[in-house]
Amino acid sequence: WSFDLNARVTTDATLPYSLFDFLKRGNSGDISDIGITADSYLEAGFNYSFPLLDDKLYIGVRAKFLMGVARARMYFTQFNVSHNEERWLINAAGGLDITAAGLDVKTELNDHGEEVYKMDDISLKPTSPAGYGFAVDFGATYDILPNLQASLAVNDLGFISWSKKNSISGTSTQETEFTGVTVPDDGTEPAPDFDFEMLKFNPTDGKSASKMLRASINAGLEYEVWRHKVGIGLLYTARFWEYKTLHNITGSVNFHPVRWFT
């Protein structure tokens, strides 16, 4: 049996290839699925593991109670760019979701007289949990041979339910163009008349949301040599993020000369 407390922060961002293709080559195109998400939460885990099959198989499970501190997501499902010798044109559609207790976001009026969030004036002083959730981890190790061990684990299978009263939401549907500047005869440098209007979000009603954690799968093999003092390992990891699943394969060599030091 064991017990643990953890503070966790998870952040992931996606910037598609088409965005960099536009920035580097100036190619017009349809750019979609731009986004950044982040969440912070506390977890209290209760762990139990036990042997089977004459200690060849070990199974472990962890049940985790979660308290959400804050979450934020800004995304654009559409960010189309076109240009010619006369102008640059951007058509964008996206949204904003933030949940946190003690959140203060001020608003202002844009050029069209609409109320929008001031993204440069956000203050956050967490005062209480903004959501609750539950998750489990499962794992097992099996001694295939005296010197060869296989392992498998599935982590963070669970969710957090974020409250409505601590949430704000916004949408942005904008068409912005830039036609250049006119340099006066005296050579003074004018200020470009261009504003990132797509980064200004119109307030909408906040809503509760249940969000899955970023689950992961780990599978490994380790072969020990030199009287179990050196382990040669191979680990495969798959992590399920907001927009895609990422895969890793890691090779390792572990040296443990005595039981308490590795």
Side-chain angles (χ1 to χ4, degrees):
W1 289 93
S2 63
F3 171 79
D4 60 87
L5 292 171
N6 302 296
R8 300 184 59 181
V9 177
T10 304
T11 303
D12 69 287
T14 176
L15 301 173
Y17 172 83
S18 53
L19 175 63
F20 292 94
D21 189 45
F22 163 70
L23 294 175
K24 182 175 181 179
R25 298 187 175 94
N27 295 334
S28 301
D30 296 338
I31 304 173
S32 60
D33 286 341
I34 299 175
I36 181 170
T37 64
D39 54 55
S40 174
Y41 59 92
L42 306 176
E43 67 176 22
F46 301 87
N47 320 295
Y48 180 62
S49 62
F50 54 93
L52 294 171
L53 304 178
D54 295 328
D55 292 349
K56 287 186 176 181
L57 174 66
Y58 252 90
I59 296 177
V61 61
R62 172 187 291 149
K64 301 186 291 189
F65 175 69
L66 312 176
M67 292 184 294
V69 177
R71 65 174 286 266
R73 180 183 181 219
M74 184 173 69
Y75 60 92
F76 287 94
T77 56
Q78 174 185 326
F79 200 90
N80 301 335
V81 180
S82 61
H83 65 87
N84 54 35
E85 295 181 355
E86 302 296 330
R87 67 172 185 173
W88 296 61
L89 180 65
I90 299 177
N91 284 298
L96 174 73
D97 296 302
I98 302 177
T99 304
L103 177 67
D104 183 21
V105 183
K106 294 181 172 56
T107 60
E108 64 181 358
L109 296 180
N110 63 11
D111 296 338
H112 306 291
E114 300 172 330
E115 188 178 25
V116 296
Y117 287 123
K118 295 180 64 176
M119 300 306 297
D120 59 347
D121 193 2
I122 298 178
S123 61
L124 173 60
K125 296 180 180 179
T127 56
S128 62
Y132 296 93
F134 180 79
V136 293
D137 299 341
F138 297 101
T141 63
Y142 181 70
D143 294 330
I144 302 174
L145 297 171
N147 291 351
L148 180 63
Q149 185 182 82
S151 60
L152 177 67
V154 180
N155 298 327
D156 293 330
L157 281 176
F159 68 95
I160 297 179
S161 181
W162 299 91
S163 67
K164 177 180 179 179
K165 73 173 185 177
N166 296 315
S167 298
I168 68 166
S169 297
T171 59
S172 175
T173 304
Q174 302 286 346
E175 179 177 293
T176 301
E177 68 174 15
F178 176 59
T179 57
V181 297
T182 301
V183 180
D185 294 335
D186 59 6
T188 57
E189 183 178 351
D193 184 19
F194 182 72
D195 193 4
F196 283 95
E197 291 289 333
M198 71 288 297
L199 296 180
K200 297 180 179 180
F201 297 88
N202 301 100
T204 58
D205 292 335
K207 54 186 178 181
S208 60
S210 294
K211 297 294 182 180
M212 299 295 293
L213 301 185
R214 303 288 185 261
S216 64
I217 298 175
N218 303 307
L221 283 173
E222 184 178 31
Y223 185 72
E224 294 184 326
V225 297
W226 195 25
R227 292 176 297 176
H228 299 282
K229 293 185 182 298
V230 176
I232 301 171
L234 191 65
L235 175 67
Y236 164 75
T237 299
R239 185 174 293 275
F240 302 93
W241 292 97
E242 179 79 17
Y243 289 89
K244 61 176 58 180
T245 302
L246 299 182
H247 305 270
N248 285 304
I249 295 180
T250 304
S252 65
V253 176
N254 302 313
F255 179 55
H256 30 92
V258 291
R259 185 177 181 88
W260 53 269
F261 179 74
T262 298

